[in-house]
């Protein structure tokens, strides 16, 4: 129920506009690393000092205007230059809909080509994040088209899709991030039960660790992380063949602990003003994440129930203004 509510809210344009205006006052900074490149680079430098690399997401998605998509492309190129100029250990995560996939496939391809070419010149990796099912095949097509000219690209496999096993086989020569999947998908295309999603997640991770290129295991789930630690040990998989990834602001202690244990660790660092859809999906995954926001508002520790109640109140007030 709550998952559906938050996913629905993530697509509400009026709430998005309000959130952009008031968001940072509501505590979005706990999970978003600033609104501009300078603030984001400072956050990445801090992570780097802990031995953690970063994948940077200049927030934005579902763009329906060409000028917006061109602006997003230019901003991402600025981020690539900032990574290079500041000598930080980081790469890029982007979304095809941010670069015009909903407007025109070839327009999006041209935007992506410019980004990937610039990143290639500066030896920076680009990850194509995966969005909902309707964008799945076009995103793979974009990747496969660009891979004819560039090798600094990779993508994401979502374990809730039935077809992910087939997709991971087809893309085993790419660097892949494996996740459970963040969007609401129908039972015709995706597993609905956590147990099935988790089982498939483990199957896909093991398959890419054994037969694929570099694997990024992106999860906050300690059960999965512990399973992977055991699996790589049993199969003598070297630490430079994989990394763990988590989102900025989530389970920070565990992030530092894994880096200290000598695992490659990469934090997904979103920044910018267009944070609303991203944040709503985090709430859909785990309503307790409201706690993070509420702690920022009141600047003191609250328990989970107070967090959910206060957060729901704030969100309720916002939705009444629509
Ligand atoms: P899940 O939410 O299933 O939680 C499992 C268990 O882990 C919980 O029951 C709890 O015990 C523990 N846990 C989880 N979060 C916790 C917390 N904050 N504190 C304490 N315990 C916690 N999705 C997508 O569709 N496309 C994409 O491109 C990406 N990209 C991406 C990058 C990165 C770096 C990450 C981490 C995630 C994504 N995702 C994504 C999102 C992903 O698909 C998924 O929705 C979320 O990661 C939530 O699933 P988890 O595996 O983290 O655990």
């Amino acid at each position: 129920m709550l998952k559906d509510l938050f996913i629905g809210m993530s697509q509400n344009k009026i709430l998005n506009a309000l959130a952009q205006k008031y968001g940072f006052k509501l505590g979005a900074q706990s999970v978003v690393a600033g609104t501009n490149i300078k603030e984001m680079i400072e956050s990445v430098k801090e992570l780097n000092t802990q031995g953690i690399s970063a994948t940077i997401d200049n927030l934005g998605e579902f763009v329906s205007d060409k000028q917006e998509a061109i602006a997003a492309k230019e901003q991402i190129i600025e981020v690539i230059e900032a990574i290079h100029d500041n000598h930080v250990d980081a790469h890029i995560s982007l979304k095809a809909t941010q670069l015009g996939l909903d407007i025109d496939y070839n327009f999006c391809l041209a935007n992506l080509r410019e980004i990937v070419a610039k990143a290639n010149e500066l030896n920076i990796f680009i990850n194509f994040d995966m969005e909902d099912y309707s964008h799945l095949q076009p995103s793979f097509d974009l990747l496969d088209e660009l891979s004819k000219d560039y090798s600094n690209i990779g993508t994401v496999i979502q374990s809730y899709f039935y077809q992910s096993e087939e997709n991971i086989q087809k893309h085993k020569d790419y660097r892949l991030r494996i996740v459970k999947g963040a969007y609401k998908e129908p039972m015709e295309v995706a597993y609905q039960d956590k147990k099935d999603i988790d089982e498939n997640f483990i199957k896909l991770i093991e398959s890419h660790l054994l037969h694929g290129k570099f694997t990024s295991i992106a999860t906050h789930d300690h059960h999965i992380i512990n399973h992977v630690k055991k699996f790589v040990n049993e199969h003598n998989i070297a630490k430079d063949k994989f990394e763990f990834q988590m989102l900025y602001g989530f389970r920070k202690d565990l992030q530092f602990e894994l880096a200290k244990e000598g695992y490659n660790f990469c934090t997904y660092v979103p920044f910018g003003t267009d944070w609303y859809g991203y944040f709503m999906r985090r709430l859909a995954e785990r309503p307790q994440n409201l706690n993070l926001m509420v702690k920022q508002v009141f600047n003191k520790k609250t328990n989970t129930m107070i967090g959910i109640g206060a957060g729901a109140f704030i969100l309720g007030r916002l939705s009444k203004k629509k």
Side-chain angles (χ1 to χ4, degrees), residues 95-278:
K95 291 183 175 52
T97 62
Q98 178 183 19
L99 295 151
L101 182 57
D102 287 337
I103 303 167
D104 177 65
Y105 178 89
N106 286 321
F107 167 70
C108 179
L109 178 63
N111 285 333
L112 279 168
R113 189 177 287 283
E114 262 189 73
I115 291 171
V116 173
K118 183 72 199 177
N120 190 52
E121 187 190 314
L122 300 178
N123 204 17
I124 292 171
F125 176 73
I126 304 282
N127 186 78
F128 291 27
D129 285 3
M130 274 296 178
E131 304 176 68
D132 62 329
Y133 185 72
S134 67
H135 297 101
L136 186 70
Q137 194 51 51
S139 299
F140 279 125
D141 293 344
L142 288 164
L143 183 83
D144 292 340
E145 183 62 37
L146 288 166
S147 73
K148 291 176 188 161
D149 299 315
Y150 301 101
S151 60
N152 61 323
I153 49 178
T155 191
V156 175
I157 300 285
Q158 296 145 301
S159 76
Y160 59 15
F161 287 132
Y162 305 135
Q163 62 170 254
S164 286
E165 208 170 335
E166 192 188 323
N167 283 334
I168 210 165
Q169 297 302 334
K170 278 191 200 155
H171 296 90
K172 67 176 169 22
D173 295 332
Y174 287 92
R175 170 178 173 158
L176 293 179
R177 174 196 300 155
I178 308 178
V179 302
K180 293 186 187 177
Y183 299 81
K184 172 109 186 100
E185 301 292 358
M187 63 185 297
E188 287 73 26
V189 299
Y191 295 110
Q192 308 291 312
D193 278 1
K194 181 173 160 39
K195 190 172 162 286
D196 295 332
I197 297 169
D198 286 1
E199 271 175 24
N200 202 34
F201 192 35
I202 287 176
K203 207 194 277 182
L204 296 169
I205 292 169
E206 290 180 354
S207 158
H208 203 61
L209 281 169
L210 290 175
H211 310 295
K213 215 176 161 184
F214 191 81
T215 312
S216 299
I217 299 124
T219 183
H220 309 101
D221 189 335
H222 47 278
H223 304 104
I224 304 279
I225 292 167
N226 290 337
H227 178 91
V228 171
K229 282 181 174 180
K230 207 163 152 249
F231 182 82
V232 292
N233 209 15
E234 284 165 4
H235 291 80
N236 287 321
I237 294 168
K239 280 188 171 153
D240 63 0
K241 294 280 291 171
F242 70 98
E243 69 183 4
F244 291 109
Q245 292 190 351
M246 289 187 204
L247 304 177
Y248 182 82
F250 293 88
R251 304 206 82 171
K252 284 195 255 182
D253 290 352
L254 187 52
Q255 298 199 17
F256 296 145
E257 198 181 304
L258 287 163
K260 264 203 191 133
E261 285 174 26
Y263 292 102
N264 281 316
F265 197 92
C266 177
T267 299
Y268 187 102
V269 177
F271 84 100
T273 51
D274 199 0
W275 58 274
Y276 175 78
Y278 171 85

Side-chain angles (χ1 to χ4, degrees), residues 298-314:
F298 297 108
N299 196 24
K300 66 181 181 194
K301 290 207 171 187
T302 53
N303 67 34
T304 303
M305 289 317 292
I306 295 172
I308 290 171
F313 173 76
I314 292 163

